[in-house]
Amino acid sequence: MLIVMQHGATADQVERVVETIQDMGYQARPMPGAQRTAIGLVGNDGRVDESRLAALAGVKEIIHVTQPYKQVSREWKQEDTVVRLPGGLTVGGNDVVVMAGPCSVESEEQILTAAHLVREAGGAILRGGAFKPRTSPYSFQGLGLKGLKLLAKAREETGLLVVTEAIDPEGVKLVEEYADIIQIGARNMQNFSLLKRAGRARKPVLLKRGIAATITEWLLSAEYLLAEGNHHVILCERGVRGFDSTTTRNVFDLTAIAVVHELSHLPIIADPSHATGRRDKVMPMARAAVAAGADGIMVEVHPQPERALSDGAQSLYPEQFTELMQETRAIAEAIRRRVAEPLPLPAVSGRR
Ligand code: PEP
Ligand code: MN
């Protein structure tokens, strides 16, 4: 439920609404906006006496949020959420942010080489898994803490921010210490204890769409994060399971980008690497995603894809990534956006 204030309502009137909501046993979330100030009532159990709120001075109207997810909906918040990252980088504003790197952190040499090539081509955020959710228990599971430390080293050398996955609540504590964005993977989209822990984290969360999740289920998972107090959430479309797994790894749901922008104020990026599973299809789908309005893309690139310990077939060669950056810039400009520049190189720079 949203209590919308009249234009020109005073701070005292807003405060009175907040106090009344709290007095009724619910949480109040004031949202000052350019067009209107609204106060969200969190925890509506269907027993809210709205006449008590409607009668307060300065209240214009009471809106019932019709979607099952509340705080992530556009009804709740009209303005786009802009997720602010260190150094002034933003996701959800006018910039299109490119996150790139290998599927997994494999060694110091590999991740540092990858980070330098991502930066040189103009990517802003380094990706790379330290904790890998693998289908088979016998596949490479990631370097764990060592991988996180290598990612932090790569950030220090290149100025790239870091996004990496946490696969369990304990992992969130480590990831939030070393990375700039906590990734929750497709397989964990409905791991509710993980979502609750990430909702209490101090860092933004990148929430990937589940392998067979509807958009409503995905947005309800995002709601868990906001309900716990983390409003810095970026959604990521990464393809869903279709009936034809012989051609591409998943079915890239391009429509989800436009649909999510309508239903939610949260930024959405796209991952054409996991969506297609084939490096020759990553570039056209990255172009399509940006054209469809994605606020960024996440792509896998490896210095030597044929030697990758995971997802080599979908990892771009370095020169392909450079080309992808050029094309992404051209598409972004055509729709009056721009590709975010990497942050200035840190004063202390190693290698090269
Ligand atoms: C990944 O980004 O490496 C990954 C495992 O992706 P997803 O969760 O989308 O499968
Ligand atoms: Mn991968």
Side-chain angles (χ1 to χ4, degrees), residues 240-327:
V240 287
R241 220 4 98 83
F243 56 84
D244 183 2
S245 57
T246 56
T247 314
T248 56
R249 186 173 176 183
N250 289 297
V251 176
F252 185 31
D253 185 1
L254 201 51
T255 331
I257 297 166
V259 170
V260 165
H261 271 318
E262 182 196 341
L263 297 176
S264 175
H265 51 84
L266 295 175
I268 174 166
I269 69 162
D271 171 351
S273 304
H274 292 89
T276 63
R278 296 171 47 169
R279 77 169 66 84
D280 64 327
K281 298 292 173 268
V282 171
M283 176 109 70
M285 292 306 102
R287 287 195 299 243
V290 175
D295 298 301
I297 49 173
M298 169 177 264
V299 296
E300 289 185 341
V301 52
H302 194 288
Q304 292 170 290
E306 54 291 327
R307 299 187 62 176
L309 296 182
S310 58
D311 288 349
Q314 67 195 32
S315 299
L316 298 178
Y317 286 98
E319 54 279 12
Q320 288 180 308
F321 178 65
T322 304
E323 201 185 334
L324 178 139
M325 286 301 303
Q326 287 158 357
E327 305 233 333

Coordinates of all heavy atoms in Angstrom, one line a residue, residues 240-327:
V240 N 16.4 -18.8 -20.5 CA 15.6 -19.8 -19.7 C 15.6 -21.1 -20.5 O 15.9 -21.2 -21.7 CB 14.1 -19.3 -19.5 CG1 14.1 -18.2 -18.4 CG2 13.5 -18.8 -20.7
R241 N 15.2 -22.2 -19.8 CA 15.2 -23.5 -20.4 C 14.1 -23.6 -21.5 O 12.9 -23.2 -21.2 CB 14.8 -24.4 -19.3 CG 15.3 -25.8 -19.0 CD 16.3 -26.5 -19.7 NE 17.7 -26.4 -19.1 CZ 18.1 -27.2 -18.2 NH1 17.3 -28.1 -17.6 NH2 19.3 -27.1 -17.7
G242 N 14.4 -24.0 -22.6 CA 13.4 -24.2 -23.7 C 13.4 -25.6 -24.1 O 14.0 -26.5 -23.4
F243 N 12.6 -26.0 -25.1 CA 12.6 -27.4 -25.5 C 13.7 -27.8 -26.4 O 14.0 -29.0 -26.6 CB 11.2 -27.7 -26.1 CG 10.9 -26.9 -27.3 CD1 11.3 -27.2 -28.6 CD2 10.1 -25.7 -27.2 CE1 11.0 -26.4 -29.7 CE2 9.8 -24.9 -28.2 CZ 10.2 -25.3 -29.5
D244 N 14.4 -26.8 -27.0 CA 15.4 -27.1 -28.0 C 16.8 -26.8 -27.4 O 17.4 -25.8 -27.6 CB 15.2 -26.3 -29.3 CG 16.3 -26.7 -30.3 OD1 17.1 -27.6 -30.0 OD2 16.3 -26.1 -31.4
S245 N 17.4 -27.8 -26.6 CA 18.7 -27.6 -26.0 C 19.8 -28.1 -26.9 O 20.9 -28.1 -26.5 CB 18.7 -28.2 -24.7 OG 18.4 -29.6 -24.8
T246 N 19.4 -28.5 -28.2 CA 20.5 -29.0 -29.0 C 21.1 -27.8 -29.9 O 22.2 -27.9 -30.4 CB 19.9 -30.0 -30.0 OG1 18.8 -29.4 -30.7 CG2 19.5 -31.2 -29.3
T247 N 20.4 -26.7 -30.0 CA 20.9 -25.6 -30.8 C 21.6 -24.5 -29.9 O 22.7 -24.2 -30.2 CB 19.7 -24.9 -31.5 OG1 18.9 -26.0 -32.1 CG2 20.2 -24.0 -32.6
T248 N 20.9 -24.1 -28.9 CA 21.5 -23.1 -28.0 C 21.3 -23.7 -26.6 O 20.4 -24.5 -26.4 CB 20.9 -21.7 -28.1 OG1 19.5 -21.8 -27.9 CG2 21.2 -21.0 -29.4
R249 N 22.1 -23.2 -25.7 CA 22.1 -23.7 -24.3 C 20.8 -23.3 -23.6 O 20.2 -24.1 -22.9 CB 23.3 -23.0 -23.6 CG 23.5 -23.6 -22.2 CD 24.8 -23.0 -21.6 NE 24.9 -23.4 -20.2 CZ 25.9 -23.0 -19.4 NH1 26.9 -22.2 -19.9 NH2 26.0 -23.4 -18.2
N250 N 20.3 -22.1 -23.9 CA 19.0 -21.6 -23.3 C 18.3 -20.8 -24.4 O 18.8 -20.6 -25.5 CB 19.3 -20.7 -22.1 CG 19.8 -21.5 -20.9 OD1 19.2 -22.4 -20.4 ND2 21.1 -21.3 -20.5
V251 N 17.1 -20.4 -24.0 CA 16.3 -19.5 -24.9 C 16.5 -18.1 -24.3 O 16.1 -17.8 -23.1 CB 14.8 -19.9 -24.9 CG1 14.1 -18.9 -25.8 CG2 14.7 -21.3 -25.5
F252 N 17.1 -17.2 -25.0 CA 17.3 -15.8 -24.6 C 16.0 -15.1 -24.6 O 15.5 -14.8 -25.7 CB 18.4 -15.2 -25.4 CG 18.8 -13.8 -25.0 CD1 18.8 -13.4 -23.7 CD2 19.2 -12.9 -25.9 CE1 19.2 -12.2 -23.3 CE2 19.6 -11.6 -25.5 CZ 19.6 -11.3 -24.2
D253 N 15.5 -14.7 -23.5 CA 14.2 -14.0 -23.4 C 14.4 -12.5 -23.5 O 14.5 -11.8 -22.5 CB 13.4 -14.4 -22.1 CG 12.0 -13.8 -22.1 OD1 11.7 -13.1 -23.1 OD2 11.3 -14.0 -21.1
L254 N 14.5 -12.0 -24.7 CA 14.8 -10.6 -25.0 C 13.6 -9.7 -24.5 O 13.8 -8.6 -24.0 CB 15.0 -10.4 -26.5 CG 15.7 -9.2 -27.0 CD1 17.1 -9.0 -26.4 CD2 15.9 -9.4 -28.5
T255 N 12.4 -10.3 -24.6 CA 11.2 -9.6 -24.2 C 11.3 -9.2 -22.7 O 10.7 -8.2 -22.3 CB 10.0 -10.5 -24.4 OG1 10.2 -11.4 -25.5 CG2 8.7 -9.7 -24.6
A256 N 11.9 -10.1 -21.9 CA 12.0 -9.8 -20.5 C 12.6 -8.4 -20.2 O 12.2 -7.8 -19.2 CB 12.8 -10.9 -19.8
I257 N 13.5 -8.0 -21.0 CA 14.1 -6.7 -20.8 C 13.1 -5.6 -20.8 O 13.0 -4.8 -19.9 CB 15.3 -6.4 -21.8 CG1 16.3 -7.5 -21.6 CG2 15.8 -5.0 -21.6 CD1 17.3 -7.5 -22.8
A258 N 12.3 -5.6 -21.9 CA 11.2 -4.5 -22.0 C 10.1 -4.7 -21.0 O 9.6 -3.8 -20.4 CB 10.7 -4.5 -23.4
V259 N 9.8 -6.0 -20.7 CA 8.7 -6.3 -19.7 C 9.1 -5.8 -18.3 O 8.4 -5.2 -17.6 CB 8.3 -7.7 -19.8 CG1 7.3 -8.1 -18.7 CG2 7.7 -8.1 -21.1
V260 N 10.3 -6.2 -17.9 CA 10.8 -5.8 -16.6 C 10.9 -4.3 -16.4 O 10.5 -3.8 -15.4 CB 12.1 -6.5 -16.3 CG1 12.8 -5.9 -15.1 CG2 11.9 -8.0 -16.0
H261 N 11.3 -3.6 -17.5 CA 11.4 -2.2 -17.4 C 10.0 -1.6 -17.2 O 9.8 -0.5 -16.5 CB 12.0 -1.6 -18.7 CG 13.5 -1.4 -18.6 ND1 14.1 -1.0 -17.5 CD2 14.4 -1.7 -19.5 CE1 15.4 -1.0 -17.7 NE2 15.6 -1.4 -18.9
E262 N 9.0 -2.2 -17.7 CA 7.6 -1.7 -17.4 C 7.1 -2.1 -16.0 O 6.5 -1.3 -15.3 CB 6.7 -2.4 -18.5 CG 5.3 -1.9 -18.3 CD 4.3 -2.8 -19.1 OE1 4.7 -3.6 -20.0 OE2 3.1 -2.8 -18.7
L263 N 7.4 -3.3 -15.6 CA 6.9 -3.8 -14.3 C 7.6 -3.3 -13.1 O 7.1 -3.2 -12.0 CB 6.8 -5.3 -14.3 CG 5.9 -6.0 -15.3 CD1 6.1 -7.5 -15.2 CD2 4.5 -5.6 -15.1
S264 N 8.9 -3.0 -13.3 CA 9.8 -2.7 -12.1 C 10.7 -1.5 -12.4 O 11.0 -1.2 -13.6 CB 10.7 -3.9 -11.8 OG 11.6 -3.6 -10.8
H265 N 11.1 -0.8 -11.3 CA 12.0 0.3 -11.4 C 13.4 -0.1 -11.4 O 14.3 0.7 -11.5 CB 11.7 1.3 -10.3 CG 11.7 0.7 -9.0 ND1 12.8 0.4 -8.2 CD2 10.6 0.1 -8.2 CE1 12.5 -0.2 -7.1 NE2 11.2 -0.4 -7.1
L266 N 13.7 -1.4 -11.1 CA 15.0 -1.9 -11.0 C 15.7 -2.0 -12.3 O 15.1 -2.3 -13.3 CB 15.0 -3.3 -10.3 CG 14.5 -3.4 -8.9 CD1 14.5 -4.8 -8.4 CD2 15.4 -2.5 -7.9
P267 N 17.1 -1.8 -12.4 CA 17.8 -1.9 -13.6 C 17.9 -3.4 -14.0 O 17.9 -4.3 -13.2 CB 19.2 -1.4 -13.3 CG 19.3 -1.3 -11.8 CD 17.9 -1.2 -11.3
I268 N 18.0 -3.6 -15.3 CA 18.1 -5.0 -15.8 C 19.2 -5.0 -16.9 O 19.3 -4.2 -17.8 CB 16.8 -5.5 -16.4 CG1 17.0 -6.9 -17.0 CG2 16.0 -4.6 -17.3 CD1 15.7 -7.7 -17.3
I269 N 20.1 -6.0 -16.7 CA 21.1 -6.3 -17.7 C 20.9 -7.6 -18.3 O 20.0 -8.4 -17.9 CB 22.5 -6.2 -17.1 CG1 22.8 -7.4 -16.1 CG2 22.8 -4.9 -16.3 CD1 24.3 -7.6 -15.8
A270 N 21.7 -8.0 -19.4 CA 21.5 -9.2 -20.0 C 22.8 -10.0 -20.2 O 23.9 -9.3 -20.3 CB 20.9 -9.0 -21.4
D271 N 22.7 -11.3 -20.1 CA 23.9 -12.1 -20.2 C 23.8 -13.0 -21.4 O 23.2 -14.1 -21.3 CB 24.1 -13.0 -18.9 CG 25.2 -14.0 -19.0 OD1 25.7 -14.3 -20.1 OD2 25.4 -14.7 -17.9
P272 N 24.3 -12.6 -22.6 CA 24.1 -13.4 -23.8 C 25.0 -14.6 -23.8 O 24.8 -15.4 -24.7 CB 24.5 -12.4 -24.9 CG 25.4 -11.4 -24.3 CD 25.0 -11.3 -22.8
S273 N 26.0 -14.7 -22.9 CA 26.9 -15.8 -22.9 C 26.2 -17.1 -22.4 O 26.1 -18.1 -23.1 CB 28.1 -15.6 -22.0 OG 28.8 -14.4 -22.5
H274 N 25.6 -17.0 -21.2 CA 24.9 -18.2 -20.7 C 23.5 -18.4 -21.5 O 23.0 -19.5 -21.6 CB 24.6 -18.0 -19.2 CG 25.9 -18.1 -18.4 ND1 26.6 -17.0 -18.1 CD2 26.5 -19.2 -17.9 CE1 27.7 -17.4 -17.4 NE2 27.7 -18.7 -17.3
A275 N 23.0 -17.3 -22.0 CA 21.7 -17.4 -22.7 C 21.9 -18.2 -24.0 O 21.0 -19.0 -24.4 CB 21.2 -16.0 -23.1
T276 N 23.1 -18.1 -24.6 CA 23.2 -18.8 -25.9 C 24.2 -20.1 -25.8 O 24.0 -21.0 -26.5 CB 23.8 -17.9 -27.0 OG1 25.1 -17.5 -26.6 CG2 23.0 -16.7 -27.2
G277 N 25.2 -19.9 -25.0 CA 26.1 -21.0 -24.8 C 27.1 -21.2 -26.0 O 27.9 -22.1 -26.0
R278 N 27.0 -20.2 -26.9 CA 27.9 -20.3 -28.1 C 28.5 -19.0 -28.4 O 27.8 -18.0 -28.6 CB 27.0 -20.7 -29.3 CG 26.4 -22.1 -29.2 CD 25.5 -22.4 -30.3 NE 26.0 -22.0 -31.6 CZ 25.5 -22.3 -32.8 NH1 24.3 -23.0 -32.8 NH2 26.0 -21.9 -33.9
R279 N 29.9 -19.0 -28.5 CA 30.5 -17.7 -28.6 C 30.1 -16.9 -29.9 O 30.1 -15.7 -29.9 CB 32.0 -17.8 -28.5 CG 32.8 -18.3 -29.7 CD 34.3 -18.1 -29.5 NE 34.8 -18.9 -28.3 CZ 35.1 -20.2 -28.4 NH1 35.1 -20.8 -29.6 NH2 35.6 -20.9 -27.4
D280 N 29.8 -17.7 -31.0 CA 29.4 -17.0 -32.2 C 28.0 -16.3 -32.1 O 27.7 -15.5 -33.0 CB 29.5 -18.0 -33.4 CG 28.4 -19.1 -33.3 OD1 28.2 -19.5 -32.2 OD2 27.9 -19.5 -34.4
K281 N 27.3 -16.6 -31.1 CA 26.0 -16.0 -31.0 C 25.9 -14.9 -29.9 O 24.9 -14.3 -29.7 CB 24.9 -17.1 -30.6 CG 24.7 -18.1 -31.7 CD 24.1 -17.6 -32.9 CE 24.1 -18.6 -34.1 NZ 25.3 -18.5 -34.9
V282 N 27.1 -14.7 -29.2 CA 27.1 -13.7 -28.1 C 27.0 -12.3 -28.6 O 26.2 -11.5 -28.1 CB 28.4 -13.9 -27.3 CG1 28.5 -12.8 -26.3 CG2 28.3 -15.3 -26.5
M283 N 27.7 -12.0 -29.7 CA 27.7 -10.6 -30.2 C 26.4 -10.2 -30.7 O 25.9 -9.1 -30.3 CB 28.8 -10.5 -31.3 CG 28.8 -9.2 -32.0 SD 30.2 -8.3 -31.6 CE 31.4 -9.2 -32.5
P284 N 25.7 -11.0 -31.6 CA 24.4 -10.5 -32.0 C 23.4 -10.4 -30.9 O 22.6 -9.4 -30.9 CB 23.9 -11.6 -33.0 CG 24.9 -12.7 -32.9 CD 26.1 -12.2 -32.3
M285 N 23.4 -11.2 -29.9 CA 22.5 -11.1 -28.8 C 22.8 -10.0 -27.8 O 22.0 -9.4 -27.2 CB 22.4 -12.5 -28.0 CG 21.8 -13.6 -28.8 SD 20.1 -13.2 -29.5 CE 20.5 -12.8 -31.2
A286 N 24.1 -9.7 -27.8 CA 24.5 -8.5 -27.0 C 24.0 -7.2 -27.6 O 23.5 -6.3 -27.0 CB 26.1 -8.4 -26.8
R287 N 24.1 -7.2 -29.0 CA 23.6 -6.0 -29.7 C 22.1 -5.9 -29.5 O 21.6 -4.8 -29.2 CB 23.9 -6.2 -31.2 CG 25.3 -6.0 -31.6 CD 25.5 -5.8 -33.1 NE 25.0 -7.0 -33.8 CZ 25.7 -7.7 -34.6 NH1 27.0 -7.4 -34.8 NH2 25.2 -8.8 -35.3
A288 N 21.4 -7.0 -29.6 CA 20.0 -7.0 -29.4 C 19.6 -6.5 -28.0 O 18.6 -5.8 -27.9 CB 19.4 -8.4 -29.7
A289 N 20.3 -7.0 -27.0 CA 20.0 -6.7 -25.6 C 20.1 -5.2 -25.4 O 19.2 -4.5 -24.8 CB 20.9 -7.4 -24.7
V290 N 21.2 -4.6 -25.9 CA 21.3 -3.1 -25.7 C 20.3 -2.4 -26.5 O 19.7 -1.4 -26.0 CB 22.8 -2.7 -26.2 CG1 22.9 -1.2 -26.1 CG2 23.8 -3.4 -25.3
A291 N 20.0 -2.9 -27.7 CA 18.9 -2.2 -28.5 C 17.6 -2.3 -27.8 O 16.7 -1.4 -27.9 CB 18.8 -2.8 -29.9
A292 N 17.3 -3.4 -27.1 CA 16.1 -3.6 -26.4 C 16.0 -2.8 -25.1 O 14.9 -2.8 -24.4 CB 15.9 -5.1 -26.0
G293 N 17.1 -2.2 -24.7 CA 17.0 -1.3 -23.5 C 17.7 -1.8 -22.3 O 17.5 -1.3 -21.2
A294 N 18.5 -2.9 -22.4 CA 19.3 -3.4 -21.3 C 20.2 -2.3 -20.7 O 20.8 -1.5 -21.5 CB 20.1 -4.6 -21.7
D295 N 20.3 -2.3 -19.4 CA 21.1 -1.3 -18.7 C 22.6 -1.7 -18.7 O 23.4 -1.0 -18.1 CB 20.6 -1.0 -17.3 CG 19.2 -0.4 -17.3 OD1 19.0 0.6 -18.0 OD2 18.3 -1.1 -16.8
G296 N 22.8 -2.9 -19.2 CA 24.2 -3.4 -19.3 C 24.2 -4.8 -19.8 O 23.2 -5.4 -20.1
I297 N 25.4 -5.3 -20.0 CA 25.6 -6.7 -20.4 C 26.7 -7.3 -19.6 O 27.6 -6.7 -19.2 CB 25.8 -6.8 -22.0 CG1 27.0 -5.9 -22.4 CG2 24.6 -6.6 -22.8 CD1 27.4 -6.2 -23.8
M298 N 26.5 -8.6 -19.4 CA 27.5 -9.4 -18.8 C 28.0 -10.5 -19.8 O 27.1 -11.2 -20.3 CB 27.0 -10.1 -17.5 CG 27.9 -11.1 -16.9 SD 27.3 -11.8 -15.4 CE 28.1 -10.8 -14.2
V299 N 29.3 -10.5 -20.1 CA 29.7 -11.5 -21.1 C 31.0 -12.2 -20.6 O 31.8 -11.6 -19.9 CB 30.0 -10.9 -22.5 CG1 28.8 -10.3 -23.1 CG2 31.1 -9.8 -22.5
E300 N 31.1 -13.4 -21.1 CA 32.3 -14.2 -20.7 C 33.4 -14.0 -21.8 O 33.1 -14.2 -23.0 CB 31.9 -15.7 -20.5 CG 31.1 -15.8 -19.2 CD 30.8 -17.2 -18.8 OE1 30.8 -18.1 -19.6 OE2 30.4 -17.4 -17.6
V301 N 34.6 -13.7 -21.3 CA 35.7 -13.6 -22.3 C 36.9 -14.2 -21.5 O 37.0 -14.1 -20.3 CB 36.0 -12.1 -22.7 CG1 36.1 -11.2 -21.5 CG2 37.2 -12.0 -23.5
H302 N 37.7 -14.9 -22.3 CA 38.8 -15.7 -21.7 C 40.1 -15.5 -22.5 O 40.0 -15.5 -23.8 CB 38.5 -17.2 -21.6 CG 39.3 -18.0 -20.7 ND1 40.6 -18.3 -21.0 CD2 39.1 -18.6 -19.5 CE1 41.2 -19.1 -20.1 NE2 40.3 -19.2 -19.1
P303 N 41.2 -15.3 -21.9 CA 42.5 -15.1 -22.7 C 42.7 -16.3 -23.6 O 43.2 -16.2 -24.7 CB 43.6 -15.0 -21.7 CG 42.9 -14.8 -20.4 CD 41.5 -15.3 -20.4
Q304 N 42.3 -17.5 -23.2 CA 42.5 -18.7 -24.0 C 41.2 -19.6 -23.8 O 41.3 -20.6 -23.0 CB 43.7 -19.5 -23.6 CG 45.0 -18.8 -23.9 CD 46.2 -19.6 -23.3 OE1 46.3 -19.5 -22.0 NE2 47.0 -20.2 -24.1
P305 N 40.2 -19.3 -24.5 CA 38.9 -20.1 -24.2 C 39.0 -21.6 -24.3 O 38.4 -22.3 -23.5 CB 38.0 -19.5 -25.3 CG 38.5 -18.2 -25.7 CD 40.0 -18.3 -25.5
E306 N 39.9 -22.1 -25.2 CA 40.0 -23.5 -25.3 C 40.6 -24.2 -24.1 O 40.5 -25.4 -23.9 CB 40.7 -24.0 -26.6 CG 42.1 -23.4 -26.9 CD 42.1 -21.9 -27.2 OE1 41.1 -21.4 -27.8 OE2 43.1 -21.3 -26.8
R307 N 41.2 -23.4 -23.3 CA 41.8 -23.9 -22.0 C 41.0 -23.6 -20.8 O 41.4 -23.9 -19.7 CB 43.2 -23.4 -21.9 CG 44.1 -23.8 -23.0 CD 45.6 -23.4 -22.8 NE 46.1 -24.1 -21.6 CZ 47.4 -24.0 -21.2 NH1 48.2 -23.2 -21.9 NH2 47.8 -24.6 -20.2
A308 N 39.8 -23.0 -21.0 CA 39.0 -22.6 -19.8 C 38.5 -23.8 -19.0 O 38.2 -24.9 -19.6 CB 37.8 -21.8 -20.3
L309 N 38.4 -23.7 -17.7 CA 38.0 -24.8 -16.9 C 36.5 -24.8 -16.8 O 35.9 -25.8 -16.3 CB 38.6 -24.6 -15.5 CG 40.1 -24.7 -15.4 CD1 40.6 -24.6 -13.9 CD2 40.6 -26.0 -16.0
S310 N 35.8 -23.8 -17.3 CA 34.3 -23.8 -17.3 C 33.9 -22.9 -18.5 O 34.5 -21.8 -18.7 CB 33.7 -23.4 -16.0 OG 34.1 -22.1 -15.6
D311 N 32.8 -23.3 -19.1 CA 32.2 -22.4 -20.2 C 33.1 -21.9 -21.3 O 32.8 -20.8 -21.8 CB 31.4 -21.3 -19.5 CG 30.1 -21.8 -18.8 OD1 29.7 -22.9 -19.0 OD2 29.5 -21.0 -18.0
G312 N 34.0 -22.7 -21.7 CA 34.9 -22.3 -22.7 C 34.2 -22.0 -24.1 O 34.5 -21.1 -24.8
A313 N 33.2 -22.9 -24.4 CA 32.6 -22.8 -25.7 C 31.8 -21.5 -25.9 O 31.6 -21.0 -27.0 CB 31.6 -23.9 -25.8
Q314 N 31.4 -20.8 -24.8 CA 30.7 -19.6 -24.9 C 31.6 -18.4 -24.6 O 31.1 -17.2 -24.7 CB 29.5 -19.6 -24.0 CG 29.8 -19.5 -22.5 CD 28.6 -19.9 -21.6 OE1 27.8 -20.7 -22.0 NE2 28.5 -19.3 -20.4
S315 N 32.8 -18.6 -24.3 CA 33.7 -17.5 -23.9 C 34.3 -16.9 -25.2 O 34.8 -17.6 -26.1 CB 34.9 -18.0 -23.0 OG 34.3 -18.5 -21.8
L316 N 34.3 -15.6 -25.2 CA 34.8 -14.9 -26.4 C 36.3 -14.9 -26.4 O 36.9 -14.9 -25.3 CB 34.3 -13.4 -26.4 CG 32.8 -13.1 -26.4 CD1 32.6 -11.6 -26.4 CD2 32.2 -13.7 -27.7
Y317 N 36.9 -14.8 -27.6 CA 38.3 -14.6 -27.7 C 38.5 -13.1 -27.4 O 37.6 -12.3 -27.7 CB 38.8 -14.9 -29.1 CG 38.9 -16.4 -29.3 CD1 37.9 -17.1 -30.0 CD2 40.0 -17.1 -28.9 CE1 38.0 -18.5 -30.2 CE2 40.1 -18.5 -29.1 CZ 39.1 -19.2 -29.7 OH 39.2 -20.5 -29.8
P318 N 39.7 -12.7 -27.0 CA 39.9 -11.3 -26.6 C 39.6 -10.3 -27.8 O 38.9 -9.3 -27.6 CB 41.4 -11.2 -26.3 CG 41.7 -12.6 -25.8 CD 40.8 -13.5 -26.6
E319 N 39.9 -10.7 -29.0 CA 39.6 -9.8 -30.1 C 38.1 -9.7 -30.4 O 37.6 -8.6 -30.8 CB 40.4 -10.1 -31.4 CG 40.3 -11.5 -31.9 CD 41.2 -12.5 -31.2 OE1 41.8 -12.2 -30.1 OE2 41.3 -13.7 -31.7
Q320 N 37.4 -10.7 -30.1 CA 36.0 -10.7 -30.3 C 35.3 -9.7 -29.3 O 34.4 -9.0 -29.6 CB 35.3 -12.1 -30.1 CG 35.6 -13.0 -31.2 CD 35.0 -14.4 -31.0 OE1 35.2 -15.0 -29.9 NE2 34.2 -14.9 -31.9
F321 N 35.9 -9.7 -28.1 CA 35.4 -8.9 -27.0 C 35.6 -7.4 -27.4 O 34.8 -6.5 -27.2 CB 36.0 -9.2 -25.7 CG 35.5 -8.2 -24.6 CD1 34.2 -8.3 -24.2 CD2 36.4 -7.3 -24.0 CE1 33.7 -7.4 -23.2 CE2 35.9 -6.4 -23.0 CZ 34.6 -6.5 -22.7
T322 N 36.8 -7.1 -28.0 CA 37.1 -5.7 -28.4 C 36.0 -5.3 -29.5 O 35.5 -4.2 -29.4 CB 38.5 -5.7 -29.0 OG1 39.4 -6.1 -28.0 CG2 38.9 -4.3 -29.4
E323 N 35.7 -6.2 -30.4 CA 34.7 -5.9 -31.4 C 33.3 -5.7 -30.8 O 32.6 -4.8 -31.1 CB 34.7 -7.1 -32.4 CG 34.1 -6.7 -33.7 CD 34.0 -7.9 -34.7 OE1 34.8 -8.9 -34.5 OE2 33.1 -7.9 -35.5
L324 N 33.0 -6.6 -29.8 CA 31.7 -6.4 -29.1 C 31.6 -5.1 -28.4 O 30.5 -4.4 -28.5 CB 31.6 -7.6 -28.1 CG 30.3 -7.5 -27.2 CD1 29.8 -9.0 -27.1 CD2 30.5 -6.9 -25.9
M325 N 32.7 -4.6 -27.8 CA 32.6 -3.3 -27.2 C 32.4 -2.2 -28.2 O 31.6 -1.3 -28.0 CB 34.0 -3.0 -26.5 CG 34.3 -3.7 -25.2 SD 33.0 -3.5 -23.9 CE 33.0 -1.7 -23.7
Q326 N 33.0 -2.3 -29.4 CA 32.8 -1.3 -30.4 C 31.3 -1.3 -30.9 O 30.7 -0.2 -31.0 CB 33.7 -1.5 -31.6 CG 35.2 -1.2 -31.3 CD 36.2 -1.9 -32.2 OE1 35.8 -2.7 -33.1 NE2 37.4 -1.6 -32.0
E327 N 30.8 -2.4 -31.1 CA 29.4 -2.5 -31.6 C 28.4 -2.1 -30.5 O 27.4 -1.4 -30.8 CB 29.1 -4.0 -32.0 CG 30.1 -4.5 -33.0 CD 29.5 -5.0 -34.2 OE1 28.4 -5.5 -34.2 OE2 30.2 -5.0 -35.3

